[in-house]
Amino acid sequence: METPQVKFCYKNVTAEILGKEHGITKQQFDELAKKTEPLIGRLNDERKAGKTRYRDLPYQADTVKKVKKLADEVKECENFVVLGIGGSALGNTALQTALNPYMYNLDEKQRKGPRLFVLDNVDPQQMKSFLDWIGDKLDKTIFNVISKSGRTAETVAQFLTICGIIEQKLGKGGLKNQIITTTDAQKGTLREITEKLGFRNLCVPDGVGGRFSVLSAVGLLSTAVCGIDIEQLLAGAAEMDKKVSRKDFYQNPAAVNAAINWHYYNRGKKISVMMPYSFALKDFADWYRQLWAESLGKAKDLAGKEVFVGPTAIKAIGATDQHSQVQLYREGPNDKLFTFLAVQDFERDVEIGKAPDIAPELDYLSGQKMSRLLNSEKIATEYALLESKRPCLTVAFDRICPYTVGQFIYLYEATTSIAGLLFGIDAYNQPAVELGKDATLALMGNSKYKELAEKIKPVTEIDNRFII
Ligand code: PA5
């Protein structure tokens, strides 16, 4: 059997399909190639110089060994809970939704590992409901606290809450049995706690930012524990690594993808909609939104000049959002580039039921495969968008499996790096996120941030003139 592939299809952005006003001509493609090819070389050099460490994640045999050993130790637990947020949670959710069945948590027959929960927030109602349920199952539950910095308020709050409950129910000794940390190898509060309390732990590799870390221990442990083949995931990423390193623009899917996105941004299409026609891939649209937004939304370019750039990434779900967003997408402003995620062969399929005799007009659906309906809806939506001169890309999965998902992740990470170079910004920092994080600490009474707390007051004080 041939190895399944992820293919990047861009015919429906060409001027042949869309015309010159909204499509990309051969000459424009050649100009994009000229601009992008040196950047592929630069990215390859940056990688060699150790500046893009995420690129080496497909080859971390040691980490895989450690992750598998730890996964083996804990796989008999009934529940596996990821405590984390942002880059320390989104990938875990996306991998689980992509590679395990929809009813995984509810149906024992459909799962090969423990139930998985990824909290990814500090919502009190959500947390209380979860605690009510998990409270008498703590001894059968493993909590994986993931934080690269080891100081993120949301993750720390989740962690402290869980520690309190474990201590109360299982005693201090319980902490060591039920908690695994994934954090920086050397620094940070979580590392200190890990060493002092003797938690089992894994490391977030140095130089790999949260949103680029899904293929590190951050994403691999929960994935392995839930019975997914992480070696295949990394093998897929390694294959894509070869493709996205190609110096020839037209042979490099990440380069073409990044260049098309950059080109349209400069032509006023500043919104990038990712629309998976697959339930399994829906959470990868969330993962992509973070990757794209935090990496490319920047005030300054590499020379320090103010540029305020960044495409806005939007998630839409096929076919669901045909009944919600597509009206706007076709008749609203032509300011968007669409990327469909499509699946050729769904692993499991359903035959649509028979129409009743009294409704023969529904007969056309009877006995057809549901996969055919979903894929027809994708083609139909794309066709409708093209009729309205809206550019469309497709990332086509032969099928969804760890290998193709690994390819997809790596394709988008490399696309982000190349897009960062095209925009001339640093794709790996997120300076704008820090102020909000510090302000939270100030508002929560952290004494180090007293001055900031004072500055925030005018925003928070109640002013009845502006309340209706
Ligand atoms: O991509 C990023 O760097 C962020 O989204 C982080 O992942 C997020 O803020 C969580 O940070 P940490 O892992 O340090 O707790």
Side-chain angles (χ1 to χ4, degrees), residues 85-88 147-150 152 155 210-211 290 294 430 437:
I85 198 161
S88 292
S147 177
K148 181 177 168 66
S149 64
T152 303
T155 309
R211 57 191 176 274
Q290 188 215 17
E294 279 197 351
Q430 57 283 330
K437 282 189 178 180

Side-chain angles (χ1 to χ4, degrees), residues 57 93 100 117 142 169 189 199 268 321 329 350 380 388:
L57 294 177
T93 302
N100 267 325
F117 300 91
I142 296 291
K169 301 228 168 158
T189 316
F199 290 149
D321 283 320
Y329 291 167
V350 170
S388 303

Side-chain angles (χ1 to χ4, degrees), residues 181-252:
T181 61
T182 305
T183 190
D184 190 275
Q186 313 287 341
K187 49 186 193 296
T189 316
L190 192 56
R191 172 53 56 194
E192 267 173 49
I193 297 176
T194 298
E195 299 307 325
K196 290 209 174 108
L197 298 188
F199 290 149
R200 289 176 284 184
N201 67 88
L202 293 165
C203 298
V204 183
D206 202 25
V208 176
R211 57 191 176 274
F212 290 90
S213 69
V214 57
L215 296 177
S216 75
V218 169
L220 293 183
L221 181 61
S222 66
T223 307
V225 168
C226 292
I228 295 163
D229 187 340
I230 58 170
E231 275 153 332
Q232 277 297 300
L233 187 73
L234 297 178
E239 183 182 353
M240 187 54 75
D241 180 16
K242 289 199 196 94
K243 294 186 184 170
V244 301
S245 304
R246 289 174 186 156
K247 291 184 187 133
D248 177 351
F249 174 77
Y250 287 104
Q251 295 304 313
N252 183 325

Side-chain angles (χ1 to χ4, degrees), residues 7 342-347 349 371 375 396-400:
K7 291 165 200 140
V343 181
Q344 174 99 36
D345 289 321
F346 286 85
E347 197 192 334
D349 215 335
S371 62
N375 280 342
F397 288 65
D398 284 347
R399 61 188 164 89
I400 300 170

